[in-house]
Amino acid sequence: MEDFEFESPTHFVFGRHAESKVGEQLAARGAKRVLVHFGGKSALESGLIDRVSASLDASGVSSVMLGGVRPNPQINLAREGAALAKREGVDWVLAVGGGSVIDSAKAIALGACYDGDVWDFYATKQDATAALPIAVVLTIPAAGSEASMNSVLSNDDEGRKTGYGRDILRPRISFMNPELTFTLPPYQSAAGMTDMYAHLLERFFDDRGNVPVTDNLNLSLMKTIRAEAPRVMAEPDNYDARANIMWAGMLCHNGIAGAGRHADWATHGLEHELSALDPQITHGAGLAVLFPAWMEYVYPNNPARFIQYGAEVFGLTPTGDVNADVYNAIDETRAFFASLGMPTSLEELGVHEEDIERMIPTLHENKGEPFGSFMQLTMDDAREIYKLAL
């Protein structure tokens, strides 16, 4: 087990009508004026924003609204939000939405306490010394941003998508009501569950040996997602299935499922270039395509790890044929994603071989060379993985 530090300051309010407690909980933490950040019309038309506003009002907490977050959130809106937060004198940022909204809210919280351009943190990875406290009303279980230190933003002007992570960005409180996920479109639910599963794969496959306490937690979460995902897709208003997925999504990415490991993160880096190339590509869908391709390319570095994964998660019995056993585990992974309605090739996402060279320069800028821990990758390796995914 590697040395590590782990901080998890997030308070969770989980269950039915959790969002109705926003006002009392933030007021108890000293909030006076809150920037409520959200995505599109669904948050308004569902009445969720009205309910959150009423809860704040009832507790004497004033608010200012900023909507318009898109999937693969854009730095320009975060800049606008940081300026608004300064102008309005807000003391908390409340994200109402999924990972994109939360990541944008984290950038606003940083920018509100910084005299320069908030993109500086994403571009240079410089340390942040201050940020407004962040709260979350979660509507899309996927990114795990409701408890993580991470935020990923796109800069369309530079054709770049990159992340920033510090413990200062972990939300102080997250409100998690599984009922808010009942009406999610099936594709969005599927992409979200793929994303959370991929967070576990990134942590399970690295350059360390066995770390039993972490590995068993990780494998248990994988098995839970595998079991609950079909129920979510078949019965979208199944509270228990949605609740298990919502809680699992948080555990997948708050850091505890990788404690004592390096984690790999190569595949997430490869995928970020897809959604920078085309912001319409859903992050989970890109991961569904790229992870099996990455697995095929890197498995010779530690085939036993893949065989263990196949046996524990998919119940595969090792045959003694190492290559066959590994490919069975990879095939099961691809089939699981496909069973949720995820794509299996880059072509399905509108990405073609000629696009690969367009992604390599920003991949190099974001990840450096080599990158990854299970197998250290060069840009030539990245090209080959993209080709395998075509």
Side-chain angles (χ1 to χ4, degrees), residues 34-40 43 49 52 56 63-70 73-74 76-82 84 92-109 134-137 153:
V34 175
L35 190 156
V36 180
H37 198 38
F38 59 96
I49 296 298
V52 168
L56 291 169
S63 61
V64 57
M65 302 286 166
L66 179 64
V69 183
R70 70 175 200 195
Q74 234 281 340
N76 287 340
L77 185 62
R79 289 168 174 152
E80 180 184 337
L84 178 63
W92 278 72
V93 181
L94 171 62
V96 181
S100 294
V101 174
I102 304 167
D103 285 4
S104 184
K106 289 177 178 179
I108 290 171
I134 300 157
V136 172
V137 174
L153 288 188

Side-chain angles (χ1 to χ4, degrees), residues 29 36 40 44 50 62 68 79 98-99 103 108 128-129 134 161 166 181 214 236 252 278 283 292 303-304 351:
R29 288 164 172 75
V36 180
L44 293 167
D50 287 341
S62 65
R79 289 168 174 152
D103 285 4
I108 290 171
T129 58
I134 300 157
K161 179 180 178 180
R166 296 293 187 278
T181 69
T214 295
C252 290
D278 180 1
H283 180 54
V351 178

